Amino acid sequence: MTDRRLRIAMAGAALATLLAALLGIGVRATYGGHAAVDEPQYLLTAISLWEDHDLDVADELADERYRDFFDAELPVQTSELDEGRQLSPHDPLLAVLLALPMGLTGWVGAKVMIAVLAGVTSALLVWLAVRRFDTPVVVAGVGVAVLGASPPIAVYGQQVYPEVVAALALLTGVALATGRLRRTALVWLALSLTALPWLGVKYLPVAAALAAVVLVRLVREGRRRTAGGLAVGLAGSGVIYLLVHRLLWGGWTVYATGDHFEQTGEFSVVGAEPDYIGRSLRLVALLVDRAYGLVPWQPAWLLTVPAVAALLVAGTSGLRHCRAVVAVPLLAGWAVATWMALTMHGYWWPGRQVVVVLPLAAVAALWWIGRMPPRAQRLALALGAAGVIHLGALLLDGWTRQITWVVGFEGVDDPVYQALRPIFPDYRAQGPGFWPLHIGWMAAVIVLLVLGARSVRSQHEPGEIDRERTLVP
């Protein structure tokens, strides 16, 4: 019966995520087209792989193959290499995955493919929360369905970016790393870790964080030879990554062929003179920025703050290696978005830098919510429902071209979002009243961390929790 309930919950969460993503395909990325900004680069590379079996997009650009999904003039991103070659400054694995659907059905098929993978991610997330973290089935199923049908997951569930695919690769690695580390599991774990930088070099720190946790666990279990083999295998995949990029892109990363980095060099992608102290504001801004934060669009993400604190201090012996597998990559991903990303206010939908680790934040939140009394669970559900409503308003305005996913979304006709905007700081303007709001939210985050840590110290072991507890009376 329990297995059947789990399968139903997984299917329900996957379906909710898939439908929400598919509905978003009808909304333009910008007023210039259904795929814009970096999306055309991935799609053009996918076309090249399908038709020419290479990564050179020079002929696709010359023939304006982007006109099917972008009406305006395509911004220049690629530098011209020897013999007129042009390679997109984006890692190629997403384009490889999209080559078949793009070749057979065009840009809509490519977006449907990403939506399907978003649904698979939600299904895996439900399984992980229930099997590895003892979350009640209904809590996991309903919670993941709500998050999957809300921004930013629903938005990136159909946009042609590697965020959701990277989240799936990372979540797969976490699912393997929280189980028995047999030889087959370690092989698949190595493959999932290897996939992350091929989706985007920005995911390398997250992959390294998960690898480090697994290696430490193997050493503590006395499996030093296995740990050494895994380390050598991952190092070998890293060498291959560098050699391929040096050979094809002419640098150590794909940014070597980026038009924007010709003068400043490929490593200026993190900023020519980065202000790391100033970027520290993002520790809170990634959550509560008025336009680009997670919480204004899905308030339930605020619950991840006390949830992560609770998970870190929980005394449950069965969670000790599992919580490190979740927490360390999550913190690594948040650190990358805070200090390494050039900006968090880019030409994209909010939350792009942290989508890869949001499923890990969701695992912590679902585990914590599963330990709550029913009344508190219903409050969490109400917060999550607000995000679904926000998505509905965005879809309605997007279908009528009043807004797009990249431009104008802050003006969405959503009375709740518009009414609550003034309570969130605007980290772009930092005008009058900014610092009181920022300090207030920073204090709120600290309080939530403390409350989360204190909430589990008097809790029972997970085995004593009613696994059938639900979100309804």
Side-chain angles (χ1 to χ4, degrees):
M1 183 65 177
T2 301
D3 288 341
R4 181 172 178 272
R5 287 168 62 86
L6 176 57
R7 288 194 295 270
I8 292 173
M10 292 171 64
L15 183 60
T17 304
L18 174 62
L19 290 177
L22 292 177
L23 290 172
I25 295 177
V27 179
R28 288 190 161 222
T30 67
Y31 294 113
H34 285 283
V37 196
D38 291 341
E39 291 182 286
Q41 298 292 324
Y42 292 107
L43 294 176
L44 290 174
T45 303
I47 293 173
S48 181
L49 287 167
W50 176 257
E51 296 180 352
D52 306 328
H53 313 297
D54 61 32
L55 298 170
D56 183 6
V57 295
D59 54 331
E60 284 75 21
L61 289 169
D63 295 339
E64 298 187 348
R65 298 292 300 277
Y66 54 83
R67 292 297 182 188
D68 290 341
F69 44 81
F70 190 70
D71 304 331
E73 194 65 30
L74 194 68
V76 176
Q77 287 199 15
T78 57
S79 297
E80 190 169 308
L81 303 176
D82 56 287
E83 300 178 355
R85 292 185 306 124
Q86 295 187 63
L87 272 66
S88 177
H90 301 86
D91 277 291
L93 184 52
L94 178 62
V96 171
L97 295 174
L98 297 181
L100 178 62
M102 186 67 191
L104 295 178
T105 59
W107 66 271
V108 174
K111 291 203 169 201
V112 170
M113 178 69 173
I114 294 175
V116 170
L117 293 176
V120 173
T121 304
S122 287
L124 179 58
L125 178 54
V126 173
W127 182 89
L128 181 66
V130 173
R131 290 301 192 206
R132 299 289 196 247
F133 289 83
D134 202 40
T135 303
V137 173
V138 176
V139 172
V142 174
V144 175
V146 168
L147 293 176
S150 308
I153 303 300
V155 179
Y156 283 103
Q158 52 79 29
Q159 290 206 297
V160 187
Y161 288 102
E163 319 305 326
V164 164
V165 185
L168 176 57
L170 178 61
L171 200 62
T172 300
V174 168
L176 292 165
T178 51
R180 296 182 179 180
L181 296 177
R182 296 189 177 97
R183 180 175 299 178
T184 302
L186 288 173
V187 170
W188 284 106
L189 173 62
L191 289 174
S192 66
L193 292 173
T194 299
L196 282 165
W198 284 102
L199 288 165
V201 68
K202 62 184 177 181
Y203 303 127
L204 179 59
V206 176
L210 179 56
V213 172
V214 173
L215 290 172
V216 168
R217 177 185 167 188
L218 288 172
V219 170
R220 287 180 174 177
E221 292 177 354
R223 301 170 62 186
R224 288 179 172 80
R225 180 174 296 180
T226 302
L230 178 61
V232 169
L234 292 175
S237 70
V239 171
I240 293 172
Y241 178 91
L242 292 174
L243 290 177
V244 170
H245 281 70
R246 194 71 185 174
L247 177 64
L248 296 182
W249 280 270
W252 302 115
T253 70
V254 291
Y255 301 116
T257 62
D259 177 74
H260 300 300
F261 311 114
E262 285 184 334
Q263 302 299 322
T264 55
E266 60 186 299
F267 295 108
S268 65
V269 68
V270 300
E273 297 180 359
D275 178 10
Y276 293 112
I277 295 177
R279 290 182 182 183
S280 298
L281 293 176
R282 298 183 199 167
L283 286 168
V284 177
L286 288 164
L287 275 174
V288 300
D289 181 84
R290 182 173 295 176
Y292 281 82
L294 296 172
V295 175
W297 298 106
Q298 173 46 280
W301 286 117
L302 193 61
L303 299 177
T304 63
V305 176
V308 171
L311 184 64
L312 288 173
V313 303
T316 305
S317 59
L319 283 178
R320 283 174 185 167
H321 76 270
C322 290
R323 67 189 181 192
V325 170
V326 167
V328 175
L330 171 59
L331 295 176
W334 205 268
V336 169
T338 298
W339 290 293
M340 290 185 64
L342 182 63
T343 178
M344 63 171 284
H345 299 108
Y347 206 48
W348 51 65
W349 177 263
R352 178 180 175 183
Q353 299 94 334
V354 294
V355 167
V356 62
V357 293
L358 283 186
L360 305 188
V363 168
L366 293 168
W367 168 80
W368 190 60
I369 293 170
R371 302 170 68 95
M372 291 179 175
R375 181 176 297 178
Q377 290 180 352
R378 290 194 291 272
L379 176 59
L381 179 60
L383 288 175
V388 179
I389 293 171
H390 290 333
L391 179 67
L394 289 163
L395 290 173
L396 289 174
D397 280 6
W399 292 335
T400 57
R401 297 195 181 183
Q402 297 181 52
I403 65 166
T404 72
W405 291 128
V406 174
V407 180
F409 58 83
E410 295 174 68
V412 62
D413 186 13
D414 183 341
V416 177
Y417 171 72
Q418 297 300 338
L420 294 179
R421 282 193 71 196
I423 72 172
F424 297 105
D426 185 351
Y427 287 84
R428 286 176 295 180
Q430 297 189 18
F434 164 78
W435 285 106
L437 284 173
H438 170 67
I439 293 171
W441 276 107
M442 188 167 58
V445 167
I446 293 172
V447 169
L448 288 173
L449 288 170
V450 173
L451 292 177
R454 295 183 60 182
S455 69
V456 296
R457 289 177 178 169
S458 60
Q459 294 281 346
H460 300 291
E461 294 291 308
E464 300 171 351
I465 299 174
D466 179 9
R467 292 178 59 85
E468 301 302 320
R469 193 187 312 162
T470 67
L471 287 169
V472 296

